[in-house]
Amino acid sequence: MGSKVINFLSWFSVALMVAGFSAGFVSGQWFSLPLGVMLSGVVLLGISLVWRWQRLSPSNPWWQWRSTQSGTNALVATLAVLVILGLVNFIVVRYPYRADFTEQKTYSLAPQTLNVLSALPNPVEVLVFIGNDPSASDSQSQIVLQNQLLLKEYQRQQPNKFKFRFIDPQAEPGLARKHNIRNLGDISLVYDQRMKLLSSGLSEVTLTPAIALLTNERKATAYMIQGHNEVPLSGFTESLAGAVNQLKMEGITVEPLNLSLQQQIPDDADVLVIAGPKLPLLEAEVTLIRDFLKKGGNLFLMLDPEVDVGLKPILEAMSAKLDGRLIVDPKHARLAWPAALTYGEHPITESFSQKLSFFPFAQAVDVQEQPGQQVTPLLQTSEASWAETDLTGQQIQLDQGRDRKGPLTIGVAIKRSISAPPPAPKEKPSPPPKPSLSPPSPNSSPSPTASPTGEAVPSASPTAPNSESVPSPSLAPTPPLSTESVPPPTGESLQPEIQGEAARVVIIGDSDFAKDDPYFEQTVNRDIFVNAVSWLIMDGDDPTLSIRPKRVIQRTLDISDQMRMLLSVFGIVLLPLTALATAAALWWQRR
Amino acid sequence: MILIFNNVMAIFRKELQGYFKSSLAYVIAGVFWLLACSLFVSEVQLWTAQKTAGQVVDVPQESLKSFLSGMWWLVMFLMPSLSMGLYAEERRHRTLELLATSPITNWAVALGKLLAVWTLFVTLMLPVGVLEILFLSHADPPITAGVFVVGHLGLFLLAAAILSLGLFISSLADSSILAIILTYALILILSLLFLLGERWGEPWVAIFDQLSLVKHYVTLTQGVLDMSSVILFVSYIVLGLFLTAQSIDLLRFQRR
């Protein structure tokens, strides 16, 4: 009787669990009903197991068991073992030790991140706005999983001050609105009263600098130059209001600045933004900006084609040239709205690779590498685009020889060491040896490795005959970073890091892209603007900027088809057949 | 000490010999090899195709990772069929009483049985491992052994944990069929515990995450040797052995 009941109970509990599981699986929601059914199954199973166990000992009242003592002993021992195992597990969870055996330490955080996390003054919360939709595409659930892994790793380092949540924007539209969420997958960082929106996707390269910037107590100020018909800062449309708002939420103060009235650049200016002036700047203004740049100020230039605003002296100081011609992209519905197809490996454009951005009426920007100046192309148009010389012609088409063929660089980030020439004989303790620098040989194949490391330009180098007079202009034959030379994937290792204090400049050959325009809702246009400003106001030597993304090693299985076939047949046919044949033989023998 | 070791080895040997004579073990081996090898080959094909389609992928590493996560299902479904008969068969042949009252401690018996069935699994994995290595040795550029070793360590630990829990259930159940069903149920619960944590919020998330087999297995297959994962698997193994020994111990006083 009893055993029948137990059997029934076991089967019934299993059925309940399966029912609950499949209900939850099918509906995709683990709300109370499927969970309740499953839980009751679990409880019943537990009861049946205990009962089963008890039945092994005498079936009559337990106080009559000869084994009561033994049973109690067993119970106590079991409890003791459970407690011990629980404690051991608790200890390992509390004091984790893990070794990452992946080649690139894919699942470990960079030391810079660990520093930022251990120095967190107040709690940071990361809100990931992504639907918890079971019908979502596989790639999306993959993203959720990856984000979870990364955020967990952050949390493991700083369990009390790092929190994260996944939020379905459809379920909580108010919250999504408060955080200015535009696309699924947007991420909002919350710290005190500040908020930062990350729409570039989550990775250590984007998250750590964002946290560093957000938790920085230093008040950062961006000044927007006014007075030459720049893109307005406020207004319903055609203004930078949305972008400015986002900067303010991040704790960045944005102020207009009219240089012809104020005659000076305020001392607290972390970055100057010149957003699409239509009228030329006065010479005095240009001088002010130039001095600002020389002293290590950061500059953000958004310059439209076909307008000369008198910034040539500043651009020339950086060996930068604006193409001046309008870029057209026949692949796009709006001919003069080229899309950025390739994004540079840079904090500003990190992990934008699958995202869209448009640059209405843009021009190409060419900046040459020079000593003490590190140039990273940020945005490149498609192969099919070109810079049109003659817009008055009947047909807009690529004229060989006259027009410039794409891909064209329309945005660059420049890092310049401040203590560039004239020679500042600041003796470095250990100057890197650079024998290739002297004598300069214009014929030898110029490679970026030849350009010196940051400030070390004028410093002594052991092989240089006269260390103080290594003239930097003679180092000209560094390769022009033209649009034709797309940087190799491993470009970061080739380009020397500019060490120490550095001034940073971002030049984009377009000013319309950051405007409020419904057309840009699904693009990363505004993020490029915000990221650029964020990058420009960061401390130049902020270590979080040097976190390198973990790249996938491109590996193949270089295996011949015959070999593959042979191995497959061995594994899928031969092995199982042998086993089954043996089984059959044994069975036959037994009969 | 030496005596106990010898006892364990005796049980171990007897059990292993039993597998070589039982046709069921060969059927399981055949099914296992068929599924495991086709899984691996198809993963390689899948990722190679992705690569040819122009995606940036690390074919050997990704194949290995997907193969190991697929093995989760295979191990979860095949291990209970190996463990189901460990004690249930003894019960059916009426040798369980003999075993329970024999001078060999219940610990030693349980350990010997577990070792034997785990060795069987390792043996089953051997040809599959050879196939993997033959494939992966063609990786260009070559891969390091770290992820491979840690991932397979995870697989063996997972198998041992499931077998150990299955051993316990087998010691309770009257029939093999019941044992296998109950083992499935238990493994399913342990795998899905983390879902409960996600519902209930904070302290539970940490607790259920730690108890969940899936999460720890995934960590190991990714090439991260996390101490808490190893400890958890070992805990389940120890727990299964301990409970088995206890339940057999209680059996001595059984009076029907």
Side-chain angles (χ1 to χ4, degrees):
Chain A
M1 170 60 202
S3 94
K4 262 189 194 158
V5 174
I6 293 181
N7 271 348
F8 173 74
L9 213 58
S10 311
W11 288 103
F12 187 62
S13 65
V14 171
L16 273 183
M17 276 186 293
V18 171
F21 177 65
S22 35
F25 199 76
V26 170
S27 70
Q29 283 169 326
W30 296 95
F31 55 87
S32 42
L33 187 66
L35 262 187
V37 172
M38 246 171 89
L39 265 186
S40 53
V42 171
V43 171
L44 277 184
L45 182 74
I47 292 174
S48 79
L49 280 184
V50 169
W51 197 350
R52 196 176 292 279
W53 197 1
Q54 290 221 331
R55 268 176 53 79
L56 296 178
S57 39
S59 44
N60 281 322
W62 63 274
W63 59 88
Q64 285 180 15
W65 294 355
R66 205 177 109 213
S67 65
T68 298
Q69 199 190 352
S70 143
T72 323
N73 281 349
L75 199 69
V76 171
T78 309
L79 278 180
V81 164
L82 280 178
V83 169
I84 290 170
L85 289 181
L87 273 179
V88 170
N89 276 280
F90 178 75
I91 289 170
V92 265
V93 170
R94 212 55 206 263
Y95 303 98
Y97 168 79
R98 49 162 44 192
D100 191 343
F101 279 86
T102 51
E103 283 149 288
Q104 301 203 291
K105 303 278 169 262
T106 316
Y107 301 100
S108 310
L109 297 176
Q112 294 96 320
T113 304
L114 301 185
N115 285 339
V116 168
L117 285 177
S118 63
L120 273 184
N122 290 311
V124 169
E125 192 173 25
V126 177
L127 306 177
V128 185
F129 287 86
I130 196 154
N132 212 351
D133 188 2
S135 63
S137 59
D138 217 32
S139 65
Q140 189 181 318
S141 58
Q142 197 68 33
I143 290 172
V144 171
L145 209 70
Q146 276 171 4
N147 288 351
Q148 236 166 11
L149 263 179
L150 184 73
L151 292 169
K152 276 231 170 101
E153 194 55 37
Y154 273 71
Q155 198 177 37
R156 220 166 56 83
Q157 302 297 335
Q158 189 59 277
N160 300 321
K161 290 190 181 152
F162 187 89
K163 303 251 176 336
F164 67 90
R165 266 196 295 159
F166 283 78
I167 291 163
D168 188 349
Q170 256 104 46
E172 298 183 54
L175 198 63
R177 211 190 158 88
K178 186 180 156 209
H179 289 267
N180 269 345
I181 300 305
R182 283 174 293 151
N183 298 320
L184 219 56
D186 280 0
I187 292 140
S188 184
L189 273 68
V190 185
Y191 176 81
D192 284 350
Q193 293 302 309
R194 301 181 181 183
M195 274 183 241
K196 183 164 173 62
L197 188 70
L198 273 183
S199 15
S200 52
L202 202 59
S203 76
E204 201 184 351
V205 183
T206 55
L207 187 56
T208 303
I211 293 174
L213 191 69
L214 196 65
T215 56
N216 197 344
E217 292 304 332
R218 190 175 63 96
K219 208 92 176 115
T221 314
Y223 280 96
M224 317 277 287
I225 303 276
Q226 299 291 300
H228 320 90
N229 247 344
E230 279 92 352
V231 184
L233 296 186
S234 54
F236 284 115
T237 50
E238 298 286 301
S239 76
L240 291 172
V244 167
N245 225 1
Q246 202 168 319
L247 287 176
K248 281 183 178 158
M249 284 210 319
E250 291 178 16
I252 300 169
T253 317
V254 182
E255 299 280 357
L257 173 66
N258 196 325
L259 279 181
S260 54
L261 293 180
Q262 294 200 302
Q263 301 292 336
Q264 61 163 344
I265 294 170
D267 286 339
D268 64 341
D270 292 289
V271 58
L272 273 190
V273 184
I274 304 180
K278 301 282 179 294
L279 303 170
L281 278 75
L282 300 176
E283 212 163 299
E285 291 176 299
V286 175
T287 317
L288 275 176
I289 296 169
R290 210 174 154 183
D291 290 345
F292 174 73
L293 192 64
K294 242 181 221 160
K295 273 187 289 177
N298 304 317
L299 197 57
F300 187 7
L301 300 174
M302 303 195 286
L303 301 173
D304 289 316
E306 300 176 317
V307 200
D308 181 18
V309 290
L311 286 172
K312 259 226 175 81
I314 293 170
L315 293 170
E316 265 165 12
M318 297 177 280
S319 322
K321 239 186 82 212
L322 297 173
D323 189 71
R325 288 172 286 191
L326 196 69
I327 299 178
V328 289
D329 188 348
K331 288 261 173 75
H332 193 254
R334 302 188 186 189
L335 195 62
W337 286 38
L341 214 69
T342 327
Y343 297 99
E345 282 182 14
H346 194 274
I348 296 177
T349 46
E350 182 57 40
S351 63
F352 276 178
S353 58
Q354 299 299 319
K355 315 249 173 170
L356 268 178
S357 61
F358 293 110
F359 297 85
F361 312 108
Q363 64 180 335
V365 180
D366 303 298
V367 184
Q368 304 205 338
E369 289 262 350
Q370 53 171 283
Q373 174 166 316
Q374 180 190 341
V375 182
T376 315
L378 295 177
L379 312 156
Q380 255 172 2
T381 60
S382 73
E383 192 101 23
S385 65
W386 72 87
E388 177 67 39
T389 313
D390 183 17
L391 282 167
T392 52
Q394 285 290 320
Q395 244 181 338
I396 307 282
Q397 59 181 20
L398 178 63
D399 301 317
Q400 291 296 345
R402 291 174 63 210
D403 294 344
R404 186 167 156 198
K405 211 185 152 327
L408 300 165
T409 305
I410 48 180
V412 292
I414 306 168
K415 216 171 163 186
R416 329 177 57 222
S417 71
I418 300 167
S419 45
K426 221 199 292 174
E427 206 65 36
K428 281 244 155 187
S430 59
K434 337 176 269 288
S436 61
L437 284 183
S438 53
S441 53
N443 292 336
S444 69
S445 74
S447 95
T449 43
S451 51
T453 326
E455 305 184 54
V457 184
S459 66
S461 110
T463 49
N466 187 349
S467 60
E468 292 215 1
S469 65
V470 176
S472 48
S474 64
L475 297 169
T478 37
L481 202 123
S482 67
T483 48
E484 282 79 36
S485 67
V486 181
T490 51
E492 69 225 54
S493 59
L494 291 175
Q495 277 189 359
E497 271 296 319
I498 304 277
Q499 302 292 337
E501 261 192 289
R504 274 151 298 144
V505 180
V506 172
I507 309 176
I508 293 178
D510 178 38
S511 72
D512 306 303
F513 74 97
K515 284 178 183 170
D516 294 337
D517 187 326
Y519 199 82
F520 296 150
E521 278 293 296
Q522 304 296 315
T523 67
V524 290
N525 277 21
R526 187 188 289 171
D527 306 287
I528 291 173
F529 176 84
V530 172
N531 285 4
V533 175
S534 304
W535 180 69
L536 287 168
I537 64 167
M538 283 190 94
D539 273 334
D541 49 357
D542 193 312
T544 60
L545 289 175
S546 58
I547 298 176
R548 291 277 161 249
K550 280 146 189 160
R551 306 238 166 262
V552 176
I553 305 174
Q554 292 241 34
R555 274 209 192 89
T556 46
L557 270 185
D558 191 16
I559 188 166
S560 68
D561 283 348
Q562 286 155 322
M563 190 69 184
R564 185 193 298 262
M565 210 55 214
L566 196 76
L567 288 175
S568 307
V569 167
F570 165 76
I572 300 173
V573 183
L574 239 53
L575 263 180
L577 270 187
T578 320
L580 291 181
T582 318
L586 273 176
W587 177 74
W588 189 254
Q589 199 181 19
R590 192 128 335 145
R591 285 191 60 180
Chain B
M1 195 63 213
I2 293 171
L3 184 73
I4 294 177
F5 177 75
N6 282 340
N7 288 343
V8 171
M9 285 327 276
I11 298 283
F12 171 74
R13 224 171 288 130
K14 182 229 150 211
E15 285 287 326
L16 260 192
Q17 276 164 4
Y19 289 129
F20 279 108
K21 286 185 198 138
S22 97
S23 45
L24 178 69
Y26 284 100
V27 172
I28 291 175
V31 174
F32 180 84
W33 283 334
L34 176 70
L35 293 177
C37 294
S38 9
L39 180 67
F40 185 74
V41 171
S42 64
E43 288 297 349
V44 167
Q45 257 161 6
L46 199 82
W47 287 104
T48 313
Q50 296 245 318
K51 174 92 183 170
T52 351
Q55 286 195 28
V56 181
V57 282
D58 185 342
V59 177
Q61 294 284 20
E62 288 300 329
S63 312
L64 182 64
K65 230 191 292 179
S66 331
F67 165 70
L68 283 174
S69 52
M71 284 301 282
W72 157 264
W73 294 102
L74 197 52
V75 165
M76 195 175 129
F77 280 105
L78 274 183
M79 286 310 104
S81 66
L82 286 180
S83 69
M84 64 178 181
L86 286 173
Y87 276 99
E89 284 298 297
E90 304 271 5
R91 200 187 292 273
R92 198 163 67 92
H93 293 137
R94 308 232 167 263
T95 47
L96 190 57
E97 287 81 358
L98 213 66
L99 208 59
T101 50
S102 75
I104 302 181
T105 56
N106 294 324
W107 258 101
V109 176
L111 184 62
K113 277 176 179 286
L114 181 65
L115 267 183
V117 73
W118 186 70
T119 309
L120 176 68
F121 172 72
V122 175
T123 320
L124 287 186
M125 265 313 283
L126 272 182
V128 184
V130 169
L131 188 81
E132 286 173 62
I133 291 173
L134 284 179
F135 264 101
L136 296 178
S137 61
H138 287 87
D140 176 35
I143 56 172
T144 52
V147 180
F148 183 86
V149 171
V150 174
H152 284 78
L153 175 77
L155 186 63
F156 290 138
L157 278 175
L158 173 75
I162 294 181
L163 287 173
S164 183
L165 293 173
L167 184 77
F168 167 56
I169 292 191
S170 172
S171 78
L172 296 178
D174 306 320
S175 73
S176 301
I177 298 296
L178 195 61
I180 196 171
I181 297 287
L182 290 181
T183 313
Y184 281 148
L186 185 64
I187 303 301
L188 194 70
I189 295 168
L190 290 181
S191 316
L192 295 175
L193 267 183
F194 71 94
L195 287 176
L196 221 58
E198 279 172 16
R199 291 290 323 165
W200 290 356
E202 221 355 281
W204 299 104
V205 175
I207 294 173
F208 287 134
D209 269 8
Q210 172 62 16
L211 291 181
S212 160
L213 286 170
V214 188
K215 299 239 162 169
H216 291 290
Y217 180 62
V218 168
T219 313
L220 287 170
T221 54
Q222 280 165 341
V224 179
L225 186 63
D226 194 328
M227 235 34 223
S228 69
S229 306
V230 176
I231 292 289
L232 178 88
F233 283 126
V234 173
S235 300
Y236 276 132
I237 296 169
V238 171
L239 187 69
L241 281 176
F242 174 81
L243 290 178
T244 312
Q246 288 291 315
S247 88
I248 298 300
D249 213 36
L250 285 178
L251 189 76
R252 276 199 275 174
F253 306 99
Q254 187 175 26
R255 190 177 359 115
R256 284 206 188 208

